[in-house]
Amino acid sequence: MKLDIDFVRKQFDQLADDPGFAFASNAGGSYVCNQANEVLEHYNRHTRVQPYSRYSPSAEAGKAMDRAHAGWAEALNIRPSELTIGPSTSINTYVMAQAIGEIWKPGDEIIVTNQDHETNSGVWRRKAIEKGVTIRQWEVEPDTGLLNIESLFPLLRDNTRWVFFTHCSNIVGTVNPVATIVKTIKSGSNARVFIDAVAYAPHHISDLKALGVDCYAFSLYKVYGPHQGMLYVNRDAHGDMTSQAHYFNSGNPAKDFAPAGPQHAQIAACAGVLDYFDELHQHHFGASDKNRNAKLEQLHQLIVQHENELAAPLLEFLHHRADVRLLGKTHTGDNDRAPTIAFQPLKQSAKSVAHKLQDAKIGTEHGNFYAHRLISDLGIDPDDGVVRLSLVHYNNQQEVEQILQALDTALNQTGDDAAA
Ligand SMILES: Cc1ncc(COP(=O)(O)O)c(C=O)c1O
């Protein structure tokens, strides 16, 4: 069975706005599915009051928010009390740095990577410096930007408190084998694990209990939904953390890590993304009594196959050009490469190539994408950075064709920075 791409595309009105435009900047934020927009609009039109009171629109508003909370907990195979929905992943990690770092003391150690987006790096480093904690860096391979599990072993100590790494880099696109890495960490230390899954969740909603992680964060505005940050905090780890809620709310897991007032309508609209996945599942597999996480796993099989077919010709093209340095893996054969494809043009600036692609109606960008440390360690100027083409399951082969032609033209026009 294959993903019915025409059915998928009908669920995103924005895809029909300009048929000549190929959107390839999804890692910066995806289109919103119609189902999420419908929930958002309904909330704003009919239940826009303070939720959770007994009077009619308020009770309905509370139910709409609870539906999102419970639905996402089921999707991630976690308890509703383990899910915080905050304004963004950057705010969530900022809050968690206070919650986690409060008990750190000199002699403790943490491990961070240089593969991560700054969101899963700077806040922990800053807190570690404040607390006199030793920071160890799990280095990427300088040519490819990939993390090698063997280089993690020597960094693990008895006093390693936390390891922070990404499920998938927003630049090199390789999916790190989180479950295996977590097993290694837990067998060699007492460290807890925090995963940034912002670049991975658009491609796969994971079973978090199976991954064995302590915290897991991603952003729903990149997963076809409203601008919210999803944060899992394993209940067993709560005891090691300090509440960031108002003192009278402390101990309430829904509030401990969400000091900002919740964005009611946006939270309700998170359920719309699940409505979309439900419809997608029903369309391909018919009625099913499987739970949400199992249904998402089935959908993932179709999505990964489709995404691999999108990425393969682009990787093949870029890999064989002498005027391009392709970052990350050059193939999709191992099913561990998201269609997030970044490259450094060698004969002209990334800015010049990105602008030429934009002129050819490709939605793409250049820069460091806040993976400043990674881009610098790869020996690339972080101001110019790389060109990034990031696709998701609603992209189609015609768009890939358009991108390939535009790439060929842009790369062959060397010495012409006029477009920049
Ligand atoms: C890999 C990765 N992590 C974290 C973030 C930050 O997420 P947010 O914008 O929700 O703060 C981004 C945003 O681009 C990202 O790509």
Side-chain angles (χ1 to χ4, degrees):
M1 188 191 301
K2 292 197 96 170
L3 186 71
D4 182 348
I5 184 66
D6 294 332
F7 179 82
V8 167
R9 289 175 73 89
K10 283 199 193 103
Q11 316 306 315
F12 294 85
D13 278 355
Q14 201 173 340
L15 281 169
D17 280 354
D18 179 357
F21 175 69
F23 185 46
S25 205
N26 293 283
S30 69
Y31 288 164
V32 177
C33 61
N34 296 343
Q35 292 82 350
N37 278 324
E38 277 157 24
V39 179
L40 186 64
E41 189 174 344
H42 179 87
Y43 190 101
N44 280 332
R45 280 183 186 278
H46 303 292
T47 61
R48 187 71 197 220
V49 294
Q50 184 72 10
Y52 296 113
S53 184
R54 291 174 61 247
Y55 64 90
S56 172
S58 174
E60 202 193 317
K63 276 194 197 128
M65 290 175 67
D66 287 348
R67 183 170 87 90
H69 217 93
W72 273 100
E74 188 189 349
L76 296 162
N77 190 26
I78 60 176
R79 298 182 183 92
S81 60
E82 293 176 311
L83 177 66
T84 296
I85 305 183
S88 74
T89 297
S90 301
I91 287 292
N92 286 343
T93 58
Y94 183 86
V95 171
M96 290 310 287
Q98 317 316 313
I100 288 173
E102 192 53 39
I103 62 165
W104 289 351
K105 53 184 188 324
D108 289 346
E109 301 198 353
I110 63 165
I111 298 174
V112 290
T113 82
N114 50 347
Q115 193 185 59
D116 274 87
H117 185 283
E118 194 60 17
T119 284
N120 195 33
S121 187
V123 289
W124 318 120
R125 290 172 195 258
R126 231 179 274 152
K127 185 51 90 179
I129 291 167
E130 185 191 316
K131 294 284 183 175
V133 164
T134 302
I135 303 167
R136 302 205 177 270
Q137 182 159 287
W138 182 10
E139 305 284 353
V140 295
E141 291 171 1
D143 295 341
T144 59
L146 299 182
L147 284 171
N148 183 337
I149 193 165
E150 269 76 49
S151 353
L152 175 63
F153 296 131
L155 303 178
L156 287 167
R157 311 274 152 90
D158 287 344
N159 51 351
T160 307
R161 295 288 163 248
W162 281 84
V163 183
F164 304 93
F165 67 98
T166 182
H167 204 151
C168 172
S169 151
N170 65 333
I171 302 291
V172 296
T174 301
V175 183
N176 290 318
V178 171
T180 309
I181 299 172
V182 170
K183 263 199 206 110
T184 302
I185 293 170
K186 302 272 175 185
S187 61
S189 74
N190 295 316
R192 296 201 178 276
V193 178
F194 194 114
I195 300 292
D196 175 348
V198 174
Y200 186 55
H203 311 287
H204 185 200
I205 304 300
S206 298
D207 176 337
L208 302 191
K209 292 296 175 194
L211 290 182
V213 296
D214 297 288
C215 292
Y216 192 88
F218 62 96
S219 306
L220 217 62
Y221 73 96
K222 304 191 196 234
V223 191
Y224 325 113
H227 207 123
Q228 293 291 284
M230 314 300 266
L231 171 69
Y232 159 66
V233 181
N234 184 336
R235 195 171 65 172
D236 299 342
H238 277 205
D240 293 354
M241 298 170 186
T242 51
S243 173
Q244 302 300 305
H246 297 313
Y247 73 92
F248 45 83
N249 286 329
S250 167
N252 175 344
K255 302 200 170 178
D256 276 337
F257 312 116
Q263 297 172 24
H264 305 143
Q266 309 278 341
I267 290 177
C270 294
V273 179
L274 297 172
D275 296 341
Y276 162 59
F277 285 137
D278 280 350
E279 282 186 43
L280 202 54
H281 189 272
Q282 161 109 27
H283 178 78
H284 289 88
F285 299 101
S288 165
D289 54 8
K290 282 185 189 298
N291 78 19
R292 264 222 160 88
N293 186 266
K295 285 202 241 173
L296 284 164
E297 198 49 50
Q298 265 186 311
L299 273 180
H300 176 60
Q301 304 308 319
L302 300 183
I303 287 173
V304 78
Q305 184 192 348
H306 176 73
E307 289 185 345
N308 284 348
E309 285 169 14
L310 297 176
L314 289 166
L315 291 172
E316 169 85 3
F317 174 87
L318 290 166
H319 179 45
H320 287 107
R321 282 201 70 116
D323 53 357
V324 157
R325 176 185 176 196
L326 173 64
L327 299 176
K329 280 191 155 185
T330 57
H331 61 90
T332 58
D334 305 325
N335 274 345
D336 66 352
R337 212 243 189 252
T340 303
I341 300 170
F343 66 92
Q344 179 191 17
L346 300 175
K347 299 221 166 118
Q348 53 186 313
S349 64
K351 179 177 174 182
S352 164
V353 173
H355 284 197
K356 287 173 195 165
L357 294 175
Q358 290 162 2
D359 289 345
K361 297 189 76 169
I362 311 297
T364 186
E365 254 308 335
H366 78 99
N368 60 62
F369 303 98
Y370 285 18
H372 202 279
R373 295 171 202 270
L374 174 63
I375 296 290
S376 303
D377 286 4
L378 286 166
I380 300 171
D381 166 17
D383 289 335
D384 189 43
V386 292
V387 180
R388 185 176 73 178
L389 296 158
S390 55
L391 306 179
V392 291
H393 70 291
Y394 56 56
N395 286 111
N396 64 16
Q397 287 299 343
Q398 286 101 288
E399 290 172 330
V400 169
E401 263 315 303
Q402 186 182 342
I403 295 168
L404 283 169
Q405 279 180 18
L407 272 174
D408 197 42
T409 309
L411 290 167
N412 288 338
Q413 280 174 358
T414 50
D416 174 19
D417 271 31

